[in-house]
Amino acid sequence: MPSSRDVLSALVVTFSLVIVGVPLGLLWGWTTPTLNVQMALRSSSGVISESAFNAQAGVDVHFALLALIFGLIAGALVGWRSRASSWPLPLSLAVGSLAGSLVAAQIGHVQKSSRVLDQIPENIRGQVGGLADFVLRSQGFHVVFPVAALIMYLAIVLVTTGHEAPQLPSDPELDRYWSVPR
């Protein structure tokens, strides 16, 4: 049974990682190249140039790289600070970083999408709006943040904990087990 301190630290980790999603999303939106709408619209034949859409392919990979870095840092901090905690901490690390990743994707989308979509002329916005929108298309990249955090946490716990066998108490605590007579 986890102690109240473990539960409290798990809640703090969860909420902290959700908040960390805000700077992750801002950094993603700020550093990721987006579609150059003017270049996409310039074409000698009047057809939209597909070469300008190559920037969209790197948006997801850039998010995954930033999520990996943030996940490694989060896992290292949590592992270094609370490596002796019980099971709620890794669970909160996974849930909080997944929620932080979802928040980051929305923050980046809100930050950059309107600037791109406003440059598209009204007559073709319905045709290319979905292609030009700044959004994380590969939803599977949301697991990069939690997986990196959990792997780093596990590595720190394995390296820093002793290799002693767990010790069971010799006498059971009277209040803890229902089968012990009072």
Side-chain angles (χ1 to χ4, degrees):
M1 182 86 174
S3 68
S4 60
R5 181 181 170 136
D6 289 343
V7 173
L8 179 64
S9 65
L11 289 172
V12 168
V13 166
T14 301
F15 290 124
S16 298
L17 288 172
V18 171
I19 292 169
V20 163
V22 174
L24 173 60
L26 290 173
L27 185 63
W28 176 54
W30 183 56
T31 60
T32 304
T34 56
L35 172 68
N36 184 347
V37 175
Q38 301 305 323
M39 189 172 118
L41 294 176
R42 275 189 236 143
S43 175
S44 59
S45 63
V47 179
I48 296 172
S49 171
E50 292 180 18
S51 65
F53 288 96
N54 291 337
Q56 295 296 90
V59 170
D60 292 351
V61 175
H62 191 78
F63 180 85
L65 179 63
L66 288 173
L68 176 71
I69 293 168
F70 272 69
L72 292 175
I73 292 170
L77 288 174
V78 171
W80 174 69
R81 184 78 179 113
S82 331
R83 58 189 166 269
S85 295
S86 69
W87 63 268
L89 192 67
L91 180 65
S92 71
L93 186 63
V95 170
S97 55
L98 181 62
S101 179
L102 293 168
V103 166
Q106 286 302 315
I107 295 287
H109 172 72
V110 168
Q111 178 188 7
K112 210 154 192 179
S113 183
S114 63
R115 283 187 255 156
V116 173
L117 294 177
D118 289 344
Q119 296 175 14
I120 300 174
E122 288 291 328
N123 60 344
I124 61 168
R125 189 171 291 177
Q127 298 167 348
V128 297
L131 294 173
D133 196 9
F134 184 84
V135 66
L136 184 67
R137 287 175 173 71
S138 299
Q139 298 298 317
F141 282 140
H142 284 299
V143 299
V144 172
F145 192 1
V147 167
L150 286 172
I151 288 173
M152 180 58 84
Y153 175 79
L154 178 65
I156 288 177
V157 167
L158 288 176
V159 167
T160 59
T161 55
H163 299 291
E164 301 172 9
Q167 299 294 324
L168 296 175
S170 58
D171 294 328
E173 300 171 17
L174 294 178
D175 294 338
R176 188 158 185 175
Y177 303 103
W178 64 272
S179 63
V180 177
R182 293 182 183 213

